[in-house]
Amino acid sequence: DIQMTQSPSVLSASVGDRVTLSCKASQNINKNLDWYQQKLGEAPKLLIYFTNNLQTGIPSRFSGSGSGTDYTLTISSLQPEDVATYFCFQYNSGPTFGAGTKLELK
Amino acid sequence: QIQLVQSGPELKKPGESVKISCKASGYTFTDYAMHWVKQAPGKGLKWMGWINTYTGKPTYADDFKGRFVFSLEASASTANLQISNLKNEDTATYFCARPGGGFDYWGQGVMVTVSS
């Protein structure tokens, strides 16, 4: 099974900060990775698909990058409404989610 | 507009069974698979597997083989998840999700509580 390790597990940042969330796979996942945002009590929302494709309707401050085993979600300027937990999801083989990064306001 | 509407919350005792539904609207049901995702209280997301809505063939993640069954009522554009012999650790919210370049549409989730 492919393990997905997200870091940090909790991130505190200020409004306007550039925020970087990491997701590392235990083996090459060939960019087959999505990012989801989940707010408390809600269903997850797709932000980025296939590593770097912004889902329709998602603000352009969100971006994704990566290859091989290392992937990143970047928020260029943190907004209050971005407080949420972020999950990566690999579907290269035996699909798995990462454990999540909880993003808080400082 | 595209929607996935799931059935309501369930309270069950250990050993009982539960069947939850996910009704799709706004698109051709058989054009997209349906995936299922589990989220235990306060925990992360766990992919359970998926069902081919055209053929009805299910695929289960290793941790969900045996007591979990994905099924369809294609004429009603509905996917179902049945869990038998419920255990305390099945207490969770269960989501259905449509894959369309990522899981672009999700149901609202069904909270299943297993308690004696």
Side-chain angles (χ1 to χ4, degrees):
Chain A
D1 286 6
I2 298 177
Q3 309 303 317
M4 303 300 293
T5 302
Q6 288 191 244
S7 61
S9 54
V10 180
L11 178 59
S12 294
S14 300
V15 172
D17 282 354
R18 182 180 181 87
V19 170
T20 300
L21 285 63
S22 172
C23 185
K24 187 174 181 66
S26 58
Q27 63 190 73
N28 182 5
I29 56 170
N30 299 302
K31 296 190 173 184
N32 290 310
L33 180 119
D34 303 330
W35 288 95
Y36 296 88
Q37 175 194 68
Q38 188 179 31
K39 297 183 178 179
L40 204 60
E42 297 183 5
K45 177 193 288 187
L46 175 66
L47 299 177
I48 302 285
Y49 61 95
F50 194 57
T51 293
N52 57 10
N53 294 275
L54 189 67
Q55 173 66 356
T56 301
I58 301 301
S60 59
R61 64 180 180 274
F62 291 92
S63 63
S65 64
S67 62
T69 60
D70 295 315
Y71 297 83
T72 298
L73 174 69
T74 299
I75 307 173
S76 60
S77 178
L78 186 66
Q79 299 302 303
E81 60 266 31
D82 300 336
V83 168
T85 301
Y86 293 82
F87 296 95
C88 60
F89 175 71
Q90 71 79 19
Y91 49 94
N92 189 69
S93 170
T96 46
F97 286 94
T101 292
K102 185 175 182 181
L103 181 56
E104 302 173 337
L105 282 181
K106 193 180 292 184
Chain B
Q1 75 283 19
I2 294 170
Q3 284 188 300
L4 300 179
V5 179
Q6 297 187 244
S7 48
E10 300 274 3
L11 175 59
K12 295 290 185 181
K13 290 180 168 48
E16 292 184 337
S17 296
V18 69
K19 187 175 185 178
I20 61 181
S21 66
C22 170
K23 183 172 177 58
S25 61
Y27 70 97
T28 301
F29 182 67
T30 51
D31 282 352
Y32 297 83
M34 192 68 74
H35 290 240
W36 291 93
V37 176
K38 176 184 178 181
Q39 187 168 39
K43 302 295 185 184
L45 303 169
K46 193 162 190 179
W47 181 78
M48 301 175 67
W50 65 286
I51 186 164
N52 183 318
T53 55
Y54 186 75
T55 65
K57 180 185 175 185
T59 299
Y60 302 97
D62 287 345
D63 288 349
F64 297 97
K65 291 177 180 175
R67 298 186 297 114
F68 299 81
V69 175
F70 306 146
S71 64
L72 301 174
E73 296 170 49
S75 61
S77 299
T78 298
N80 301 307
L81 165 63
Q82 183 163 351
I83 311 171
S84 58
N85 188 20
L86 282 162
K87 305 178 187 304
N88 290 333
E89 54 264 37
D90 296 325
T91 294
T93 297
Y94 294 86
F95 295 98
C96 57
R98 189 194 86 156
F103 296 138
D104 55 355
Y105 290 92
W106 292 69
Q108 82 275 18
V110 175
M111 179 69 203
V112 175
T113 303
V114 183
S115 175
S116 53

